[in-house]
Amino acid sequence: MKRKAGRARPAPGMAGLRHPTQMIATAFAAAVLIGSVLLSLPVATESGTRADYVDALFTSTSAVCVTGLITVDTPAYWSTFGEVVILVLIQAGGLGIMTLATLFAVLVSRRLGLRARLLAQAETKSLTLRDLRRVVRNIVMFSLGTEAVVAALLTTAFVAGHDQPPGRALYDGVFHAVSAFNNAGFSLNSDSLMRYVGDPWVSLTICVAVVVGGLGFPVIFELLRSWRSPRTWSVLTRLTLGLTGALLVAGTVVITLAEYTNPGTLGPLSSPQKWLAGFFASVNARTAGFNSIDVAAQGPESLLATDILMFIGGGSAGTAGGIKVTTFGVLAFVIWAEMRGEPGVTVGRRRIPDTNQRQALALVLMSVGVVVCATFVLLGVSDYGLDRLLFEAVSAFATVGLSTGITADLPRAGQCVLIALMFIGRIGPLTLASALALRNRTRRYELPEERTIVG
């Protein structure tokens, strides 16, 4: 009997991976597992003994998901081999596993199939498939170029301002440049960047790298093309730049004023250094994870402000995490339109589609649900208070890496919760949900409409 014509059957081994986002989730998971195996090798530790696998898995997840949370002291525990593995995982996670795979396909075969282009589109958030190979090449070239410039500036600062040997300064400069641009927050110093709290050269260089990496590649490329014509900017660019600037200013003011007289944080610093440290804290709360002041000594006001900044995060399609400023901006304009009684939501002279509004609402509600559930579990398995555990959960989910110093002291169950949060936060709640779905469902009919009471 002849087989009826229909859709082509998936290739062996691919039957369970029908959606591009499933491939992305699988690729990130594979990278995490490979990294954990490498970090489990005796050569990866300073002591020459095998690392506990949970520590290796936690560090690998934190690196691939560009988070920065750690259960062991990076410079003291990991050897040079282990640090290089962490650096490679950060770079791979920041660029995106699918972006790297697409680049390799272009370089090797000079051809790119539709399936591979769809995979790369899903990872890079490209709005069209046109010239995707050029887009991926530009992403990699821009990333490596920016990291090289930042590394050169940091190396010079370490040599000229802190008397480091040139070789060590170069190593530190490259590591921190990659970590900063990819918003990872890993440092080769046990105190992160607290030793540079009053150094504007180091602090501002790190801040610029964090902000550029967190803007998102579509915004960066649009600015490079039409920076002289703001009126032609897309809604994405306007929302990202406007809200990024507003959040940086608000975060700087709130954190600086809240910690101004705190003897454990900004109190001993001069006035200019206080504002520099406050700005640094505001920038790095947007998912970078470096700290130049003691987070554990911060007051509840600045911790809450940091929670909010971490949860919002940075720009779409960049190296930052969180729900993204565009999501926050869309919901803000939805509220504004509802308060004014407008029939639609507009940003500038553009209308935001209903689908975007639903996506933003779903993303925020799912994110809140994940953070709340994780915090509830952490409360059950540890003895720390709500403020610290909520801070830890938001930091992990938003792939920030800031901590009040309790990560290593959490029980293994709590650390496994953070591993799950980092993974979910990196690939995105909606991406994870769509990866679990085999296909989109369509309804060929409409039900009668009935209004309900809201509020």
Side-chain angles (χ1 to χ4, degrees):
M1 185 174 59
K2 295 183 178 180
R3 185 186 301 273
K4 293 183 179 180
R7 292 183 299 178
R9 298 180 64 182
M14 300 297 291
L17 300 173
R18 301 180 184 179
H19 197 282
T21 52
Q22 289 178 292
M23 292 291 292
I24 294 171
T26 303
F28 271 97
V32 168
L33 292 176
I34 293 173
S36 68
V37 171
L38 292 175
L39 292 176
S40 297
L41 299 176
V43 70
T45 64
E46 287 284 3
S47 63
T49 59
R50 285 187 177 274
D52 185 278
Y53 185 72
V54 175
D55 290 328
L57 179 62
F58 192 100
T59 303
S60 178
T61 305
S62 185
V64 173
C65 299
V66 291
T67 304
L69 286 175
I70 55 176
T71 56
V72 294
D73 187 5
T74 302
Y77 189 83
W78 301 111
S79 65
T80 301
F81 174 83
E83 292 170 357
V84 171
V85 169
I86 292 172
L87 186 66
V88 172
L89 294 176
I90 291 171
Q91 186 72 83
L95 289 176
I97 302 299
M98 289 300 102
T99 304
L100 290 176
T102 304
L103 175 65
F104 293 152
V106 173
L107 295 178
V108 173
S109 65
R110 298 292 181 181
R111 299 179 62 186
L112 195 60
L114 179 61
R115 183 179 182 82
R117 295 174 70 183
L118 285 170
L119 292 172
Q121 179 197 27
E123 171 58 24
T124 61
K125 307 297 191 300
S126 302
L127 299 181
T128 67
L129 289 174
R130 180 182 301 177
D131 295 330
L132 188 61
R133 288 179 293 184
R134 177 177 57 83
V135 171
V136 173
R137 285 196 297 266
N138 288 343
I139 288 174
V140 176
M141 291 173 61
F142 179 82
S143 300
L144 297 180
T146 303
E147 290 169 356
V149 172
V150 173
L153 292 174
L154 290 177
T155 301
T156 304
F158 294 152
V159 171
H162 300 277
D163 298 325
Q164 286 191 8
R168 179 65 194 186
L170 178 61
Y171 180 63
D172 283 2
V174 171
F175 190 98
H176 287 92
V178 173
S179 185
F181 179 78
N182 290 288
N183 281 217
F186 276 88
S187 176
L188 295 180
N189 305 313
S190 298
D191 62 352
S192 188
L193 298 180
M194 291 177 61
R195 64 187 63 184
Y196 306 115
V197 62
D199 187 334
W201 191 339
V202 174
S203 296
L204 293 179
T205 300
I206 292 290
C207 286
V208 170
V210 168
V211 171
V212 172
L215 285 178
F217 298 117
V219 173
I220 292 173
F221 291 157
E222 183 169 1
L223 290 177
L224 292 176
R225 290 195 308 268
S226 57
W227 62 274
R228 295 182 178 180
S229 307
R231 293 184 178 181
T232 65
W233 290 351
S234 64
V235 172
L236 173 65
T237 299
R238 294 184 183 186
L239 282 177
T240 302
L241 293 180
L243 288 173
T244 295
L247 290 171
L248 288 179
V249 172
T252 301
V253 172
V254 171
I255 293 175
T256 303
L257 294 181
E259 299 294 325
Y260 203 84
T261 58
N262 186 342
T265 54
L266 301 183
L269 304 177
S270 65
S271 183
Q273 290 176 336
K274 290 179 180 179
W275 286 102
L276 175 63
F279 176 71
F280 188 90
S282 178
V283 169
N284 284 272
R286 312 275 320 292
T287 83
F290 293 109
N291 63 285
S292 62
I293 59 176
D294 187 1
V295 178
Q298 288 184 225
E301 299 87 357
S302 61
L303 286 179
L304 178 59
T306 305
D307 281 335
I308 296 172
L309 292 174
M310 291 192 300
F311 188 74
I312 294 174
S316 298
T319 54
I323 62 170
K324 304 298 173 30
V325 291
T326 47
T327 304
F328 178 76
V330 167
L331 290 185
F333 276 97
V334 168
I335 295 173
W336 178 245
E338 191 64 27
M339 292 175 62
R340 298 181 61 187
E342 298 286 346
V345 179
T346 58
V347 178
R349 296 182 178 273
R350 295 291 184 270
R351 183 175 62 85
I352 304 298
D354 293 341
T355 53
N356 277 162
Q357 300 174 40
R358 291 197 302 269
Q359 290 170 356
L361 181 61
L363 177 58
V364 171
L365 290 179
M366 290 176 67
S367 301
V368 170
V370 169
V371 171
V372 169
C373 291
T375 304
F376 187 83
V377 174
L378 291 175
L379 284 169
V381 300
S382 69
D383 298 326
Y384 291 101
L386 175 61
D387 54 347
R388 289 196 171 194
L389 292 177
L390 177 62
F391 190 93
E392 204 81 6
V394 174
S395 180
F397 175 79
T399 66
V400 180
L402 291 175
S403 175
T404 57
I406 68 173
T407 311
D409 297 327
L410 289 174
R412 289 306 191 191
Q415 292 173 358
C416 290
V417 171
L418 296 183
I419 290 174
L421 280 176
M422 289 188 289
F423 186 80
I424 294 172
R426 177 61 183 98
I427 64 175
L430 288 182
T431 301
L432 182 63
S434 59
L436 298 177
L438 293 178
R439 62 182 182 276
N440 294 325
R441 292 177 173 84
T442 58
R443 177 178 292 175
R444 301 184 180 183
Y445 59 90
E446 290 292 337
L447 296 173
E449 183 180 278
E450 180 179 348
R451 291 184 177 273
T452 186
I453 299 176
V454 177

